[in-house]
């Protein structure tokens, strides 16, 4: 068995988010979107390096392997976004684009995983989330998790 940590299964993730408060579910959406954006940026930089500077074929193959691995992680995270959307809608709440746009916008599968360029984020939460949230914003989500020894960490 590998010593590398493995993400929880999609089924376990779907069960775990049922226990989270709504604000934490929305925060998880923003966290995953941020991770996806960083992976896309990393893949762009790796591709640029491969095309412009990488001379060794073995180095190119290694870097292309990293890009493929990142794409697999992006796929996994996109599936998690779908589960988060389903959970939010199951609770009868609006999906995040509806909060951010302030309108009933319809989203398809591709749009639900995209990060809106105009998304205002302060203290790790979108402005729409902050308006509905009643938490102490002087502390970050890590502090809240550390105070609560029990719980699910996704």
């Amino acid at each position: 068995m590998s010593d590398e940590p493995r993400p929880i299964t999609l089924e376990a993730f779907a069960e775990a988010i049922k226990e989270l408060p709504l604000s934490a579910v929305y925060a998880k959406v923003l966290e995953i979107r941020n991770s996806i954006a960083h992976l896309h940026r990393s893949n762009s930089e790796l591709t640029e390096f491969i095309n412009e500077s990488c001379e060794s074929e073995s180095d190119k193959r290694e870097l292309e392997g990293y890009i493929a691995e990142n794409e697999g992680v992006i796929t996994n995270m996109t599936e998690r976004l779908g589960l988060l959307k389903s959970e939010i809608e199951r609770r009868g709440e609006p999906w995040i684009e509806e909060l951010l746009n302030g309108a009933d916008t319809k989203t398809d599968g591709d749009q639900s995983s995209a990060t809106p360029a105009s998304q205002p984020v302060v203290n790790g939460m979108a402005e729409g989330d902050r308006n509905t949230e009643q938490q102490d914003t002087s502390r970050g989500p890590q502090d809240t998790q550390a105070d609560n020894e029990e719980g699910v960490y996704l």
Side-chain angles (χ1 to χ4, degrees):
M1 186 167 193
S2 174
D3 289 338
E4 289 185 32
R6 307 274 313 166
I8 64 172
T9 65
L10 289 175
E11 295 79 19
F13 183 83
E15 284 300 311
I17 60 177
K18 290 179 182 177
E19 304 297 321
L20 294 175
L22 186 60
S23 61
V25 177
Y26 280 124
K28 194 66 179 170
V29 170
L30 296 175
E31 176 188 324
I32 289 174
R33 286 183 171 179
N34 185 49
S35 295
I36 289 172
H38 283 288
L39 288 165
H40 281 298
R41 188 191 77 232
S42 175
N43 279 358
S44 294
E45 290 172 359
L46 286 169
T47 300
E48 184 179 332
F49 179 79
I50 289 170
N51 292 335
E52 295 176 6
S53 304
C54 195
E55 296 176 9
S56 162
E57 278 303 312
S58 64
D59 287 346
K60 285 182 183 180
R61 282 192 302 277
E62 182 178 358
L63 294 174
E64 288 167 347
Y66 295 147
I67 292 170
E69 184 177 335
N70 285 351
E71 290 298 329
V73 173
I74 290 169
T75 299
N76 182 284
M77 289 181 171
T78 301
E79 291 170 346
R80 290 173 192 267
L81 285 175
L83 293 173
L84 289 163
K85 180 179 182 189
S86 295
E87 177 60 23
I88 288 169
E89 291 175 342
R90 182 189 70 79
R91 295 183 190 192
E93 298 294 332
W95 179 232
I96 202 157
E97 279 81 12
E98 295 168 12
L99 285 175
L100 295 173
N101 296 332
D104 291 340
T105 0
K106 292 185 179 182
T107 59
D108 63 29
D110 292 333
Q111 289 176 329
S112 67
S113 65
T115 303
S118 62
Q119 178 175 317
V121 178
V122 176
N123 289 336
M125 297 184 75
E127 187 169 350
D129 296 337
R130 288 188 298 112
N131 293 338
T132 60
E133 187 61 28
Q134 306 247 333
Q135 75 179 28
D136 176 9
T137 57
S138 65
R139 301 174 64 196
Q142 298 82 3
D143 295 332
T144 305
Q145 287 178 349
D147 293 344
N148 183 9
E149 292 181 16
E150 294 182 32
V152 178
Y153 302 99
L154 305 175

